[in-house]
Amino acid sequence: MLQTSVKTLKQLVTSREQAQPALANVMSENTLRPPTAILSNRLRMLSFNIQVGINTQHYRHYVTRSWQHVLPSQRRNENLDQIAHLLREFDLVALQEVDGGSIRSGYINQTEYLARKGHFPYWYHQLNRDLGRFAQHSNGFLCRANPLQVEDHKLPGRLPGRGAIVVRLGNENDHIIIVMMHLSLSQRSRNRQLSYICDLIAEHKHIVLMGDMNTHAEQLLEKTPLRYGHLRPVHNGEFTFPSWRPSRSIDHILVSDEIKINEVSVLNKRLSDHLPVAVDIELPFQLAFPN
């Protein structure tokens, strides 16, 4: 496969079950990176469940701000701008609980909004549960490097509406595969979803899994199909939920043994009911980034 441009990226999004017919949510060619670029083997990544832009700071806000899950809010837009400012520090971002453009978001595709505000030339929006004009439950992917390939996968489960975005960065001979996901609440469904994901990564050496996995890392790596995957968590069980008084570690970035970790942190950024997880890794090859 040749190096992918924005135009050909539209043709390369594939799925084992159901591919979206077109990538209308990939930025236009007018936003391509400048002609000059820098090469680096470091990749700064962030995983963040943004709760459709709602800034929840207390349990009572699940009640008092619940209307924001249905109706638009200026406060949400201001919070999205703060999230975009945070994302600018990273090269690749996995977003969960993003709205694709419904009444509650003011018909704003939040993945596209954050990509533009955060100056990401490449992005992909995965719609997983379509409630029409009332809600567009989605995952999002933002990147500064040109992906070699992007795949859209619908994950199995008792209830439909969960998905994974699979991205390859690098070149034909050496690449990293990154799987971004938001897993189910039930253990049975999570195990089915992780079994599916294990099949996706089985033939790859350099692997990153990232997202809201709705369980602790020990559970993931000891009592799910991932126990055979030679993966390790990047952070030491720091709690990520709820953001105002963290007591559970459910947001993770897992990497294969061959990947070197330079720096990792759970960021104390209370812009959602989850805290974002960040990691700086070192790759065995170089990527081109806008200068």
Side-chain angles (χ1 to χ4, degrees):
M1 186 179 301
L2 298 176
Q3 185 178 9
T4 309
S5 69
V6 168
K7 179 183 290 185
T8 57
L9 181 58
K10 296 182 181 181
Q11 302 165 355
L12 290 171
V13 173
T14 59
S15 170
R16 291 188 181 179
E17 294 189 0
Q18 181 181 356
Q20 294 187 359
L23 266 184
N25 49 15
V26 174
M27 282 186 142
S28 71
E29 292 181 79
N30 293 331
T31 61
L32 278 170
R33 65 176 184 269
T36 60
I38 58 174
L39 297 176
S40 176
N41 66 340
R42 296 184 70 172
L43 187 64
R44 300 165 300 169
M45 301 189 296
L46 183 82
S47 180
F48 196 7
N49 181 325
I50 68 168
Q51 199 197 14
V52 296
I54 301 173
N55 187 351
T56 302
Q57 293 292 313
H58 197 279
Y59 283 114
R60 66 175 177 269
H61 290 164
Y62 284 122
V63 177
T64 60
R65 298 182 183 178
S66 61
W67 61 271
Q68 293 185 34
H69 286 278
V70 181
L71 298 173
S73 164
Q74 180 60 35
R75 179 179 293 175
R76 183 207 313 272
N77 296 337
E78 294 168 355
N79 195 52
L80 279 177
D81 287 341
Q82 293 186 59
I83 293 173
H85 183 75
L86 168 66
L87 302 188
R88 290 177 187 175
E89 301 178 16
F90 298 91
D91 305 312
L92 183 147
V93 177
L95 299 170
Q96 305 90 49
E97 291 196 25
V98 186
D99 191 82
S102 63
I103 291 175
R104 64 180 180 173
S105 64
Y107 296 103
I108 293 172
N109 182 314
Q110 293 180 333
T111 304
E112 178 181 7
Y113 184 88
L114 292 172
R116 294 186 183 278
K117 286 283 188 175
H119 308 303
F120 289 88
Y122 306 103
W123 60 277
Y124 179 66
H125 184 86
Q126 180 189 54
L127 177 60
N128 292 315
R129 190 172 294 139
D130 187 355
L131 300 183
R133 61 179 180 172
F134 298 106
Q136 301 277 309
H137 300 284
S138 310
N139 293 328
F141 156 65
L142 316 177
C143 195
R144 303 200 187 282
N146 191 350
L148 183 66
Q149 187 177 33
V150 178
E151 295 178 354
D152 185 312
H153 292 264
K154 306 306 178 187
L155 295 177
R158 187 173 62 178
L159 296 174
R162 300 285 180 174
I165 304 172
V166 182
V167 175
R168 298 187 193 190
L169 295 177
N171 55 63
E172 283 292 326
N173 299 319
D174 209 352
H175 64 267
I176 183 172
I177 186 167
I178 302 167
V179 185
M180 290 157 274
M181 70 200 76
H182 188 181
L183 299 181
S184 293
L185 294 170
S186 76
Q187 181 176 344
R188 173 178 289 186
S189 291
R190 279 199 308 271
N191 284 347
R192 288 184 62 193
Q193 292 159 3
L194 289 170
S195 179
Y196 181 94
I197 289 169
C198 283
D199 289 341
L200 295 178
I201 65 176
E203 304 300 322
H204 299 275
K205 182 178 181 181
H206 306 297
I207 303 164
V208 175
L209 305 186
M210 56 197 305
D212 179 352
M213 303 187 189
N214 272 314
T215 191
H216 291 268
E218 294 80 4
Q219 173 76 19
L220 286 168
L221 297 176
E222 296 175 8
K223 299 181 180 180
T224 78
L226 290 184
R227 63 185 180 274
Y228 305 115
H230 304 289
L231 299 168
R232 68 190 194 277
V234 300
H235 67 84
N236 297 317
E238 289 92 342
F239 298 143
T240 62
F241 179 86
S243 59
W244 59 90
R245 189 178 295 174
S247 60
R248 298 182 64 199
S249 179
I250 61 176
D251 302 272
H252 303 288
I253 300 177
L254 310 175
V255 301
S256 54
D257 292 335
E258 294 81 6
I259 293 178
K260 179 182 177 181
I261 300 172
N262 294 320
E263 186 178 355
V264 60
S265 59
V266 174
L267 304 181
N268 187 25
K269 300 291 185 179
R270 301 180 186 181
L271 302 170
S272 166
D273 58 347
H274 291 246
L275 295 176
V277 180
V279 66
D280 182 323
I281 65 172
E282 193 168 310
L283 301 174
F285 52 88
Q286 292 186 322
L287 296 172
F289 296 96
N291 191 358

